[in-house]
Amino acid sequence: MFGSKPVPIAEHEARGDTSRIYHEIRQTLRVSGVNMNFRTWAGFPRFFPAMWASMQPIAASQEFESGADHVRGRAAELAGVLPAVPTGINTGESQRYQIRQALALYHYINPKLLLFTILVRRGLTGEAPAGAPADTELGPRVPFGPPARMAAMEMVSEAPGDRRLKRLFRDMKKTMSLPSVNSDYRTLALWPDYLEAGWTSLKRVVRTDDYLRATERLARDAAIVAERFPTPVNLDARQLRARGEDAEAVLEVTHRFEHLLPPLIVNIALLARDWWPGDELGRSPFPIADRPAGQKG
Amino acid sequence: MVTWRDFQRQQRVTEVRDTFISYLDEGQGEPVVLLHGIPTWSYLWTPVLGTLTRAARVLAPDLAGFGFSDKRDCFDRSIARQAELVDAWMDRLGISSAVIVGHDIGGGVALRLATLFPSRVRKLCVMNTVCYDSWPIELMLQFGHPGADRLLSAAMAMRLLRQALKGGFARRPPAALLDGLLAPYSTEVGKLSLIRNASALNTNLTTEIVPRLRSIDVPTLILWGEDDVFQPVSYGERLSWDIPGAHFVRIGGARHFLMVDRPHAVARRLNAFISS
């Protein structure tokens, strides 16, 4: 599948520069954990620091936050016209609270990841943006740090001991052509009954033409939003090769994430419809006015 | 025995300050708050719950950073902070005072409530509790080292804890109970939370309240699994000497997890104490 298969670096395995960059990712993207695309990119040590150095100023801007808000809003609209994916399972009060928090976390971060990935891909291919010149003024930056009420990015192992989860993960990978199970589903697997019911409902929807059109539409809209930002510099394949990095492998995983994220965003929006009133689903669960964790309000 | 997944399904939740607390709230009557220790969660009380809920309203929270309460890496987990959170949590639930029962570091929280928030405590029961300089035990000191997160994967930590926990039981505990006790810590986030919980263990937080133990003026029961290798019974004897009128009961054939080793004896003693 890959030229040289990258070995993702888990948060607890990160050392040195990778550990520093993971911290900066959490702070800059206002998120409680490091998602799979970063963990995978971190497996390319001559690419990852350069990529982050180029992307951090863009990701830190309020403009980027606002762009992600726009993508999330579109995802809510697109998911709103697809069939509902009710789970109808009997969960406890604490479980419901935590499932909702988990969905809020990914509903918040995934649109940012999509924009981020599109920009990285453009940097890798040297594609110039149609709209934003390289010296685009990015404006004020977001307050750093995860919001006070954001859940921890907790997830089960990708190779769980639980037979039911194993079966579910296998089915997800096959149905959605995933090379590995995303953080989102591994988090929802903390409540296997919920994940199983949600996936059973989702599976019916993800096979429809309407769903395919919705995810393609979201990908196109996100690409248009990404035009607001300059292409990150120093990332094109020639420079990566000069640094001794496997540029083709980096580009391949980046393409793959760009392809996987729109369906993931729509899936989380579909699941979240069960938990938020329609008009709230399009809004950011963590608007930038929210104070970061640990700061007194 | 109820499975940990079914137990989790019964948990309620309340936001307290910047965190959230999951808790069991079952039965009717006199409120009884059960505080677990480390490295467990409220599921530890399962063997005695059936008996207790027949006569009382039993509330068993997962302390912050434990079980299915908040496990983010951004707050203090010391027993000082836990006592403040239990105080605030009782406020949120409209419980002005209760019978407070604590085991292990939950006993440390209970002792701090009894000495520093005395109006919250109608009666006090501590079981194989941390006190004076009885803690932290060596295993937890090592586990609480910040480097443990990088040294141990969640799977390795589970194997280590599973093995170590067995020393706390007088006889082999049911595998399902052991699995359940460790389940919330089996993820990387859970493991890190438990490491932070262990980092927060601090002898000073029990030694500083020693001068106040004599001020405890509520009925007090001290239960001790007498073969405990983590918290030796001599500490229980010392506590019973320092807390005026405290009733000290040794539970034979029991180690640290006396509610698992001798559930009927513990439940009977507790019920009698609650209703006395």
Side-chain angles (χ1 to χ4, degrees):
Chain A
M1 178 178 65
F2 298 114
S4 56
K5 190 167 177 161
V7 179
I9 300 177
E11 287 183 75
H12 72 280
E13 293 167 341
R15 305 284 185 275
D17 228 17
T18 304
S19 176
R20 170 188 64 81
I21 294 170
Y22 279 8
H23 174 72
E24 290 177 10
I25 287 169
R26 288 188 292 265
Q27 295 294 104
T28 304
L29 291 179
R30 306 176 65 234
V31 64
S32 53
V34 175
N35 291 80
M36 193 167 77
N37 54 341
F38 292 112
R39 301 196 301 268
T40 306
W41 280 328
F44 299 102
R46 287 175 288 276
F47 160 74
F48 189 53
M51 179 280 288
W52 180 244
S54 288
M55 283 297 300
Q56 194 276 341
I58 300 171
S61 67
Q62 289 192 18
E63 184 66 14
F64 187 79
E65 182 88 20
S66 148
D69 289 348
H70 181 83
V71 173
R72 191 179 306 105
R74 282 297 287 141
E77 286 170 21
L78 292 163
V81 295
L82 291 171
V85 291
T87 54
I89 58 152
N90 177 26
T91 45
E93 183 182 278
S94 172
Q95 290 177 317
R96 285 196 297 278
Y97 176 89
Q98 292 181 62
I99 292 168
R100 194 180 195 278
Q101 296 283 82
L103 289 170
L105 163 63
Y106 291 107
H107 190 48
Y108 173 76
I109 190 62
N110 287 345
K112 283 185 161 183
L113 298 181
L114 176 56
L115 286 183
F116 197 103
T117 305
I118 293 170
L119 291 168
V120 170
R121 194 256 305 150
R122 285 181 180 168
L124 288 166
T125 54
E127 182 185 323
D135 58 353
T136 299
E137 181 57 53
L138 290 164
R141 73 167 178 80
V142 291
F144 281 174
R149 293 284 181 200
M150 180 180 277
M153 196 179 281
E154 182 171 12
M155 58 189 100
V156 306
S157 161
E158 202 182 338
D162 184 293
R163 272 192 210 157
R164 176 165 55 150
L165 286 180
K166 266 187 193 153
R167 181 175 47 75
L168 271 175
F169 283 2
R170 223 177 11 245
D171 191 28
M172 285 175 155
K173 284 163 79 169
K174 187 176 162 201
T175 306
M176 295 190 289
S177 306
L178 302 174
S180 53
V181 181
N182 295 81
S183 309
D184 315 49
Y185 304 122
R186 287 171 57 193
T187 293
L188 296 177
L190 292 166
W191 307 279
D193 291 345
Y194 175 73
L195 181 64
E196 186 172 38
W199 172 240
T200 304
S201 281
L202 257 181
K203 203 171 157 181
R204 284 194 285 268
V205 179
V206 303
R207 287 167 167 163
T208 63
D209 289 342
D210 285 347
Y211 173 86
L212 188 65
R213 276 193 289 276
T215 58
E216 286 170 353
R217 184 66 198 264
L218 185 67
R220 281 199 302 276
D221 288 352
I224 293 167
V225 173
E227 296 286 343
R228 297 183 198 171
F229 306 99
T231 298
V233 293
N234 299 328
L235 292 185
D236 67 69
R238 189 180 46 79
Q239 294 179 67
L240 284 187
R241 272 185 225 110
R243 285 188 214 122
E245 191 58 276
D246 184 345
E248 284 67 34
V250 174
L251 188 57
E252 188 171 350
V253 296
T254 307
H255 269 306
R256 186 172 285 277
F257 284 123
E258 187 177 350
H259 181 69
L260 292 177
L261 277 160
L264 187 59
I265 293 169
V266 171
N267 290 357
I268 294 295
L270 280 167
L271 289 169
R273 270 173 64 188
D274 244 10
W275 303 78
W276 279 270
D279 55 335
E280 271 185 38
L281 192 60
R283 294 190 213 131
S284 171
F286 303 105
I288 53 174
D290 282 5
R291 66 198 162 88
Q295 291 183 12
K296 301 288 178 205
Chain B
M1 190 180 65
V2 65
T3 67
W4 71 268
R5 288 238 183 249
D6 286 338
F7 186 93
Q8 183 195 20
R9 196 170 291 116
Q10 292 164 30
Q11 285 188 311
R12 309 195 64 183
V13 70
T14 294
E15 290 183 349
V16 179
R17 299 188 182 164
D18 261 356
T19 186
F20 70 88
I21 301 290
S22 294
Y23 63 97
L24 189 81
D25 184 353
E26 275 196 358
Q28 290 188 327
E30 172 116 23
V32 177
V33 173
L34 306 179
L35 303 172
H36 64 84
I38 185 170
T40 64
W41 55 294
S42 55
Y43 184 60
L44 176 68
W45 299 106
T46 308
V48 294
L49 274 178
T51 308
L52 296 184
T53 51
R54 270 182 233 137
R57 177 186 177 191
V58 176
L59 299 116
D62 290 345
L63 297 174
F66 291 83
F68 294 100
S69 285
D70 199 344
K71 292 196 287 246
R72 293 172 305 155
D73 191 19
C74 59
F75 53 85
D76 178 17
R77 288 130 146 99
S78 68
I79 61 167
R81 179 66 174 159
Q82 300 286 4
E84 290 169 7
L85 287 173
V86 170
D87 172 63
W89 167 75
M90 289 175 71
D91 241 4
R92 288 297 303 266
L93 268 58
I95 296 167
S96 55
S97 68
V99 178
I100 304 288
V101 181
H103 173 255
D104 188 75
I105 68 158
V109 176
L111 289 169
R112 288 190 71 90
L113 284 168
T115 50
L116 303 169
F117 302 83
S119 64
R120 287 290 184 205
V121 184
R122 194 173 297 170
K123 293 178 183 175
L124 171 69
C125 172
V126 287
M127 305 179 185
N128 294 59
T129 180
V130 302
C131 52
Y132 308 100
D133 60 354
S134 74
W135 66 309
I137 63 171
E138 184 64 29
L139 169 73
M140 284 297 142
L141 275 175
Q142 289 181 18
F143 196 72
H145 189 284
D149 182 42
R150 290 182 287 277
L151 282 173
L152 295 172
S153 68
M156 285 160 69
M158 284 308 96
R159 282 196 293 274
L160 180 86
L161 286 169
R162 196 179 173 87
Q163 194 54 38
L165 266 186
K166 286 180 182 168
F169 299 90
R171 60 192 64 82
R172 185 192 290 265
L177 179 79
L178 209 49
D179 289 345
L181 288 178
L182 294 176
Y185 310 113
S186 62
T187 62
E188 288 297 333
V189 164
K191 175 203 74 180
L192 180 61
S193 189
L194 193 58
I195 288 171
R196 298 290 189 253
N197 296 339
S199 301
L201 304 177
N202 181 348
T203 315
N204 293 314
L205 297 175
T206 43
T207 54
E208 76 165 349
I209 57 168
V210 171
R212 294 171 180 262
L213 293 176
R214 294 220 158 268
S215 71
I216 296 174
D217 64 353
V218 292
T220 300
L221 173 67
I222 301 172
L223 292 180
W224 218 279
E226 65 179 357
D227 301 324
D228 191 346
V229 292
F230 300 149
Q231 299 295 321
V233 71
S234 56
Y235 282 101
E237 291 167 341
R238 204 196 295 186
L239 259 188
S240 68
W241 195 82
D242 274 342
I243 299 176
H247 184 47
F248 180 59
V249 178
R250 289 165 176 264
I251 304 288
R255 288 193 177 182
H256 189 63
F257 298 106
L258 65 171
M259 69 290 280
V260 178
D261 286 334
R262 299 283 314 279
H264 300 300
V266 170
R268 195 177 64 245
R269 293 279 184 180
L270 261 180
N271 258 359
F273 177 65
I274 292 163
S275 58
S276 67

